[in-house]
Amino acid sequence: MIRRILLLLLFAVSFTACNKNRQQPACAITTCTQEFVSVGVRFVDKNGDGVTVEDFIAKNLRSDSVIVAPGVIDPGFSPAFKTIANDNIIDKFSTGGDNVQITATNPSSHQTKTAIVKIAGGCACHISKVSGPDTIVFD
């Protein structure tokens, strides 16, 4: 009799644990490298020359949150390159990827360009660009 009760109790605890795992999925344990990854975009004019843009903004469309606001200083490699996201904010993106709308203005022509870049993060070791342009060309 005691054996049956213990077996039933063990079964009930196991069943509850399985349901709890399904409700709160966690990232798998994995080994990641120490590299630091960034995702960005380069802005050029119709001749292929770099453009230092104004009013650059990047917004995660899934969460409706601004990732990069206008006026943020970008320590990029070039004034024409803007960082959209990096490993510091990997948790702001889903593992499957989120659409990020980027917008910037060419100060010479006052033309504004908008593009969508899909960025993945979440449970991944590093942020990654799933799709979208590497370069945005002003007319």
Side-chain angles (χ1 to χ4, degrees), residues 39-139:
V39 172
V41 66
R42 185 168 183 262
F43 293 92
V44 298
D45 62 18
K46 61 185 174 187
N47 299 320
D49 297 323
V51 174
T52 303
V53 297
E54 294 178 341
D55 302 324
F56 177 76
I57 188 166
K59 183 178 183 180
N60 185 326
L61 297 179
R62 176 187 56 83
S63 63
D64 196 36
S65 61
V66 174
I67 301 165
V68 179
V72 172
I73 297 173
D74 184 0
F77 301 104
S78 157
F81 182 85
K82 291 291 187 181
T83 302
I84 302 167
N86 61 42
D87 282 345
N88 283 338
I89 59 170
I90 193 168
D91 59 333
K92 296 197 183 291
F93 301 95
S94 65
T95 304
D98 298 335
N99 287 328
V100 175
Q101 179 178 310
I102 54 174
T103 305
T105 301
N106 181 338
S108 300
S109 66
H110 302 290
Q111 181 185 25
T112 299
K113 286 284 192 165
T114 300
I116 301 293
V117 177
K118 189 170 188 175
I119 298 175
C123 287
C125 287
H126 301 287
I127 207 151
S128 65
K129 184 173 81 168
V130 177
S131 63
D134 292 324
T135 304
I136 296 176
V137 181
F138 288 102
D139 303 329

Side-chain angles (χ1 to χ4, degrees), residues 2-71:
I2 292 178
R3 218 177 194 175
R4 286 184 185 175
I5 293 173
L6 286 175
L7 186 59
L8 184 60
L9 183 62
L10 182 61
F11 179 72
V13 170
S14 298
F15 183 71
T16 304
C18 289
N19 284 341
K20 191 172 185 179
N21 287 340
R22 285 188 200 140
Q23 292 173 353
Q24 299 175 354
C27 296
I29 296 173
T30 183
T31 303
C32 297
T33 63
Q34 290 292 322
E35 70 184 320
F36 185 78
V37 178
S38 296
V39 172
V41 66
R42 185 168 183 262
F43 293 92
V44 298
D45 62 18
K46 61 185 174 187
N47 299 320
D49 297 323
V51 174
T52 303
V53 297
E54 294 178 341
D55 302 324
F56 177 76
I57 188 166
K59 183 178 183 180
N60 185 326
L61 297 179
R62 176 187 56 83
S63 63
D64 196 36
S65 61
V66 174
I67 301 165
V68 179

